[in-house]
Amino acid sequence: MSETLHSTPGRDGFRMPGEFEPHSGCWMLWPERPDNWREGAAPAQRAYAAVAAAVAAAEPVTVGASGAELQRARDLLDPAVGVVEIDSDDAWMRDVGPTFVVDDRGARRGVDWRFNAWGGKEGGLYDSWERDERVARRVLELEGADRYAPALVLEGGSIHTDGRGTVISTEECLLNANRNPHLGRDQIERLVLDHLGAERMIWLGRGLAGDETDGHVDNLACFARPGVVLLAWTDDPDDPHHDIVRDARERLLQARDARGQQLRVVPVPLPGALVVSEHEAAGVQPAAGTLPRSAGARMAGSYVNFYPANGRIVFPLLDPARDEQAAAVLRAEFPGHAVVGVAAREILLGGGNIHCITQQVPARSRARDHA
Ligand code: KQY
């Protein structure tokens, strides 16, 4: 049973926990569409299966697949991974799934944001997203969690929280006229904070160059824990991200979190330039209304687009020259965690990465857990 509620999580005493807090599971979707994934999605399916197996070593994983792909998903996924039938337009559970919120009495609910395929008729990535729009509700039914349904277009990849009242996002995405043109900055900020049970928004400017989501924060920065932000970084003045990451660092260092504290900003090296090859682009079947995949396009790859499972960081392997540097930062910032890399180029070719394809279900918590 899942009921739709007409209050807000903040008013009801619920908050979105930090992703680094304990989980009871993880949801994913199964990539299928041949106009976004090359070779009929087969290489992407193997990459998703590797992510699911890496996460499943730490917490339960459930993957939603269409009826037509259920058996193939079952065959390719680790036996420890659950598979259920869920129709979707593509496979980005971070963005189409619910954002879970918890209270201090052991209850868990979900926020079902509106979704318009990253920009609707003004730059959206495909032109029909009705099935994606229904995914969050279906997950909440399967979880038996009640649902908030704010009138706000928002993708889960466009927000991060410290779980203690602070949210980071980018102006490029959340204030983009292709999401909520009828709302102003203050109204958007209020709705986001009320639905995450938070008090302080820290606005970053632009996301990574060429990010087709209009600059999701989950490719740029995330919290390792309250007070510590990991920020994608380059020292190369010729890199298109050079000014973007400096502006983000400045804003983070000037900000105070909800507790009034300054943030420590930890640089995570960006991979070198990652470019779609002729062969990769040729494997995608172009379709009217879907963003084409062009040879030579630089992809918005980032190591901060990782998934923090219970005791285990699952991060994308993107560039052999930088993978180990990124892993070293993650090991230093997540002591006691296994840091596990998964080959992720096939996911990046579809426009996102490991964080974008996963959605954590936070563990229920009791007030005494925080005492
Ligand atoms: O950044 C994300 N959270 C998702 C990326 C979606 C890309 C769609 N092609």
Side-chain angles (χ1 to χ4, degrees), residues 36 92 94-95 118 125 157 212-213 216 218 293 350-352 356:
N36 191 48
W92 307 98
R94 177 66 50 189
D95 292 347
W118 306 275
L125 303 182
E212 65 195 42
T213 64
H216 272 186
D218 71 350
R293 298 286 169 203
C356 310

Side-chain angles (χ1 to χ4, degrees), residues 306-360:
F306 63 84
Y307 182 75
N310 290 334
R312 168 174 269 240
I313 303 298
V314 181
F315 83 104
L317 297 173
L318 294 168
D319 174 0
R322 302 277 165 78
D323 291 345
E324 182 42 42
Q325 292 171 41
V329 177
L330 295 172
R331 278 195 292 270
E333 293 305 322
F334 292 98
H337 287 60
V339 172
V340 178
V342 175
R345 185 177 173 92
E346 295 296 338
I347 306 171
L348 183 60
L349 285 165
N353 227 300
I354 291 176
H355 187 259
C356 310
I357 67 171
T358 48
Q359 181 67 252
Q360 72 283 348

Side-chain angles (χ1 to χ4, degrees), residues 95 118 155 157-158 173 179 211 213-220:
D95 292 347
W118 306 275
E155 306 94 39
S158 70
C173 182
R179 301 305 208 277
D211 186 328
T213 64
D214 300 314
H216 272 186
V217 75
D218 71 350
N219 246 350
L220 177 66

